[in-house]
Amino acid sequence: MFSVKFKTTEELPEPSPRLIDQVIGQDEAVKIVLSAVKNKRNAILLGEPGVGKSMIVKAVGEILDEFGEFTPYYVIAKPNLKNMERPIVEVIDGYYKEKKKELPKINFNAPSPFTLLIVMIIAILVSQMIIKTMPADYLLAAVAITSMIVLIFGFIIVFSSLLGARASMPSVSPSDLEPVLLYECKKRPLVRASAYNVTRLLGDVKHCPLGGKPPLGTPPHKRIILGAIHEAHRGILYVDEIKTMPLEVQDYILTALQDKKLPISGRNPNSSGATVETNPIPCDFILIMSGNMDDIYNLRAPLVDRIDYKIVLKDKMDNTLENRDKILQFIVQEIRNNKLNHMTYEACCEIVKIAQYLAGSKDKLTLRLRLLANIIKMANDLAMGKEIEEILKNFKDKDYKPLEKKGKVYIDAEHVRKVFESGIYSMEKQVAINYIKNFKRYKHIVPNDTPKVGVIYGLAVLGRGGVGDVTKIVVQILESKNPATHLLNISGDIAKHSITLASALSKKLIANGKLPLPKKDIDLSDKEIYIQFSQSYSKIDGDSATAAVCLAIISALLEIPLKQDFAITGSLDLTGNILAVGGINEKIEAAKRYGFKRVIIPEANMIDVIEREGIEIIPAKTLDDIIPLVFDY
Ligand SMILES: Nc1ncnc2c1ncn2[C@@H]1O[C@H](COP(=O)(O)OP(=O)(O)OP(=O)(O)O)[C@@H](O)[C@H]1O
């Protein structure tokens, strides 16, 4: 199964501590993201949930220092003395601690010593002129007048400038005018924000219940909240959940990408911050976004155009020795990273089997690794169950002492199997399992040895739960002047079309008389065909029942009974070839669960089938292959 031999994962080497080395099966995507970051390109990662989109970005974030020089900076906000509602935000290179003393002082427009000197000289010259024009007896008075002039000039200049500066904000205390540090960035940043969180992404101005004006309120520059878009300056902005990104936010991001700066304004119209807006603040970042496959359609075209790399992550990989080793590496990582108990070799093999099952084929392994991680964690909890039971048993015991560890606990294959079969890791699977359990009580579907005309068992997968189910298909023929085909309990368009096809094909095959069945003369022009998916309340919306329906119609029209010990799945083309279907392993599992001894599947699907005991799997290429196996004549 793996290239190394071991009894438990304890014997395997420690995984690399670097997250970038821990990413499994997404080598291409990792390479592209690294190249995007190196060359300052924007990128979007698309893929199924839990395939490692966030992990890749986080891993790249860990090694950002390796992408060349970075100039540290800090961001301060200071008041705008001309208009307090337009505070000024500045990005300053360097470390805040070093430059703290040099923080810009608020200028009260106090006159400089040079201005004062000029004023004094003018004042002295004026007083000299006065003295010269005065008679000698008034000299003393003249000197006094001159001194007064000099003093008055000085006072007027100093106080007028101070009063002038404060005219727009009377009673502001010096502390209200102090600049504040909003953010300091010492190494290249990776800033993560969810697309729906507008405040976090774009920044905001806090509400001040006291009106937002000194002396009682907090001045606007002290209420600014920097956005992730600004914190990501000179680094990476990672936006996930793009499906939820409001159009307005997309426009702001677009502006930021174009202008490399964006102002912050109050976002809540009812807040005192609503009237505040800063200057455009520098925000030169690489944008990386992520979402599920269809989410890209929620983005505006101009934004999509500005994203250079569009990367689709894989959701499965080939089932090779090398890739099974990667799954093993993943198991060890999950155990070490989450401090779980170690796993036996057999349990690891079981995880590989589940990886095949979730990939829908024996040739593939799933890369929806969050699902696998959850299964491993729950299997670990189950392995610990014995201890938990013991603790509960001793809970009421006064003399209870904490358990002494009796030997090591290992996750074994049984724990893994139990978690997978119970479906505890998936809500949809549990709903489907409950539905099937309840329905089975009515014994509507029971394999038996009594052949019946027009009755056959088809196979389906319930909802998104990944659980297969058996559906009973019943066909009845009525003599009628109004020949038609009626479909009952069939909702999906594809299903309706495929069953119409089955009906036409079965009539054609009977009409040309080439079926390997006893011949019977039959007038098809007066037959009304009723096809029912009996007691099927789950939506039948695929075409995988086409072969089953076709056989049931032939049986009903020719009145030749069908055996009842098998279930069948397969799509059909117009010439009677059986075509591959999805969810083949779930369908085989369902047939086995209901007790069928045989299951007929398209031959093309054989590459997907994961071996299991207890049921015979019969591949079929054409209807002619199947007919001798299923009719009782
Ligand atoms: N390619 C991978 N390699 C290793 N571990 C993985 C990988 N993909 C997923 N995992 C495991 O699953 C967890 C969740 O993965 P992550 O959050 O990156 O998925 P995602 O694709 O971003 O999912 P979503 O679309 O739901 O946000 C990881 O922390 C890791 O344990």
Side-chain angles (χ1 to χ4, degrees), residues 261-480:
K261 50 189 168 182
L262 196 75
I264 291 177
S265 50
R267 311 239 143 252
N268 181 352
N270 300 322
S271 125
S272 63
T275 50
V276 176
E277 182 170 307
T278 70
N279 55 311
I281 307 167
C283 53
D284 184 4
F285 54 84
I286 298 167
L287 177 66
I288 300 186
M289 301 202 277
S290 76
N292 295 341
M293 290 304 284
D294 295 340
D295 296 355
I296 197 157
Y297 302 112
N298 285 15
L299 296 182
R300 281 160 50 81
L303 182 58
V304 176
D305 280 354
R306 274 167 187 80
I307 297 167
D308 311 279
Y309 290 103
K310 282 116 184 158
I311 308 160
V312 177
L313 271 75
K314 291 197 283 178
D315 64 349
K316 42 187 92 134
M317 57 184 174
D318 290 342
N319 181 6
T320 59
L321 180 65
E322 192 190 343
N323 288 340
R324 285 196 296 276
D325 279 351
K326 286 186 183 167
I327 294 284
L328 185 60
Q329 179 197 329
F330 168 73
I331 294 172
V332 177
Q333 280 167 201
E334 288 300 315
I335 288 176
R336 308 271 163 145
N337 295 349
N338 298 294
K339 300 194 171 49
L340 307 179
N341 291 294
H342 278 283
M343 226 183 220
T344 62
Y345 172 83
E346 291 73 23
C348 295
C349 295
E350 202 60 35
I351 294 284
V352 170
K353 220 169 166 190
I354 294 173
Q356 286 174 290
Y357 202 86
L358 293 176
S361 170
K362 74 164 185 285
D363 284 352
K364 301 277 171 193
L365 297 167
T366 190
L367 279 171
R368 291 189 61 182
L369 294 179
R370 189 196 282 125
L371 264 184
L372 278 193
N374 290 346
I375 291 172
I376 294 171
K377 284 182 208 149
M378 278 180 263
N380 175 73
D381 297 347
L382 211 60
M384 300 286 287
K386 199 165 164 244
E387 287 187 21
I388 293 167
E389 271 165 29
E390 261 179 79
I391 292 169
L392 288 177
K393 216 164 39 188
N394 292 314
F395 189 61
K396 290 179 189 154
D397 184 353
K398 275 190 286 181
D399 303 325
Y400 171 70
K401 289 191 201 81
L403 279 178
E404 276 170 39
K405 230 178 165 72
K406 295 177 204 143
K408 274 204 161 147
V409 174
Y410 291 103
I411 307 170
D412 65 31
E414 193 52 32
H415 300 131
V416 176
R417 250 194 307 270
K418 260 192 192 163
V419 169
F420 186 61
E421 276 161 20
S422 70
I424 190 107
Y425 61 93
S426 148
M427 248 161 37
E428 288 103 342
K429 186 161 175 175
Q430 280 181 67
V431 171
I433 288 175
N434 281 342
Y435 166 78
I436 290 169
K437 261 193 202 156
N438 286 336
F439 187 66
K440 245 179 126 180
R441 291 187 301 135
Y442 303 117
K443 300 196 170 19
H444 181 61
I445 292 166
V446 183
N448 60 78
D449 293 326
T450 316
K452 281 199 188 88
V453 169
V455 177
I456 198 164
Y457 295 104
L459 293 161
V461 177
L462 288 187
R464 300 195 310 128
V467 178
D469 195 17
V470 177
T471 59
K472 186 173 187 173
I473 300 165
V474 181
V475 174
Q476 287 285 314
I477 308 289
L478 292 184
E479 302 287 326
S480 164

Side-chain angles (χ1 to χ4, degrees), residues 484-487 497-510 524 529 531 546 549-550 553-554 557 572:
T485 301
H486 305 281
L487 317 180
H497 291 308
S498 70
I499 288 168
T500 312
L501 180 151
S503 169
L505 186 65
S506 50
K507 284 189 209 159
K508 184 188 133 190
L509 291 171
I510 291 174
L524 291 168
I529 304 173
I531 303 161
T546 324
V549 172
C550 189
I553 297 174
I554 292 171
L557 285 171
L572 267 185

Side-chain angles (χ1 to χ4, degrees), residues 22-24 26 48-55 292 330 333-334 369-370:
Q22 295 194 7
V23 180
I24 307 281
Q26 305 290 1
E48 295 288 310
V51 291
K53 300 181 287 292
S54 320
M55 188 179 181
N292 295 341
F330 168 73
Q333 280 167 201
E334 288 300 315
L369 294 179
R370 189 196 282 125

